Amino acid sequence: MNMPQNRLWIKKELRLLGTIQLMTSLIVQSLGYFWTYLFFSQTIVFGLGNNYPPIIGTSGYTLWASLVFSLSGCLSIILQKRPSNHMLMWTMTMNILSVFATLVGVFLTTVELIVTSNLDSSLWQYKNGRLLTEYLFLFIMLEMFVASIVTEWTYRARQTD
């Protein structure tokens, strides 16, 4: 059963928010790959000790979170193009999962930033790892904001159905 086209949540903005979610997932994944590559390559080359625990790199957060973010974005775009009750439920579910994934990301990046705040090393690896973690934190917050808006819109659409 297709839903009427005049609902509150069926707007061009939903497609835009889905596109933002897709771009955010690509950026989060790229930052994760770049951060992990830089950390482990520098550790192998310089043989540094275990002063800096790579929480983001070893947890694989950027891999699975970017997958959840991209699925949420794709479903948001598809919902705007072909609205249906089934697609509405999938979009709402994936965006709720995105919000939970961002909460995990905020926790992990906050712990990593707290742990690295006590390091007094002037090594390039530590400074840039911290900078990349800060950028990752900003994009996780952006995804949390967008996923919350899409979740709220889909919830309202579900209530009017």
Side-chain angles (χ1 to χ4, degrees):
M1 175 172 124
N2 285 338
M3 302 177 93
Q5 291 293 325
N6 61 356
R7 300 281 181 160
L8 168 70
W9 57 276
I10 302 177
K11 301 178 180 181
K12 298 284 184 195
E13 289 88 0
L14 190 60
R15 187 182 302 177
L16 175 67
L17 292 178
T19 305
I20 290 171
Q21 286 179 306
L22 284 173
M23 294 304 294
T24 303
S25 74
L26 291 174
I27 291 170
V28 165
Q29 186 175 26
S30 299
L31 283 172
Y33 281 145
F34 189 59
W35 186 94
T36 304
Y37 170 75
L38 288 177
F39 180 79
F40 288 115
S41 66
Q42 293 295 313
T43 301
I44 291 170
V45 170
F46 294 115
L48 299 173
N50 291 330
N51 296 342
Y52 180 53
I55 298 169
I56 296 295
T58 57
S59 69
Y61 171 77
T62 56
L63 297 176
W64 62 265
S66 65
L67 177 67
V68 172
F69 299 162
S70 63
L71 286 174
S72 297
C74 288
L75 289 175
S76 296
I77 292 170
I78 292 170
L79 176 64
Q80 195 277 326
K81 287 184 176 182
R82 295 188 187 116
S84 68
N85 287 330
H86 184 68
M87 190 56 63
L88 176 69
M89 290 306 296
W90 275 105
T91 303
M92 186 166 51
T93 303
M94 283 308 298
N95 278 286
I96 289 171
L97 287 175
S98 284
V99 170
F100 285 128
T102 58
L103 292 174
V104 169
V106 166
F107 174 75
L108 290 175
T109 54
T110 303
V111 167
E112 187 157 325
L113 290 172
I114 289 170
V115 167
T116 59
S117 67
N118 296 331
L119 293 176
D120 293 329
S121 178
S122 62
L123 291 175
W124 180 86
Q125 174 190 21
Y126 297 134
K127 288 184 176 184
N128 285 331
R130 183 170 169 81
L131 182 67
L132 289 172
T133 303
E134 291 169 357
Y135 286 142
L136 185 64
F137 181 79
L138 292 175
F139 283 103
I140 290 170
M141 293 303 292
L142 173 65
E143 176 63 28
M144 181 187 289
F145 179 69
V146 172
S148 298
I149 290 173
V150 173
T151 302
E152 194 249 331
W153 284 2
T154 55
Y155 180 75
R156 280 189 187 178
R158 186 70 184 153
Q159 296 300 319
T160 59
D161 189 36

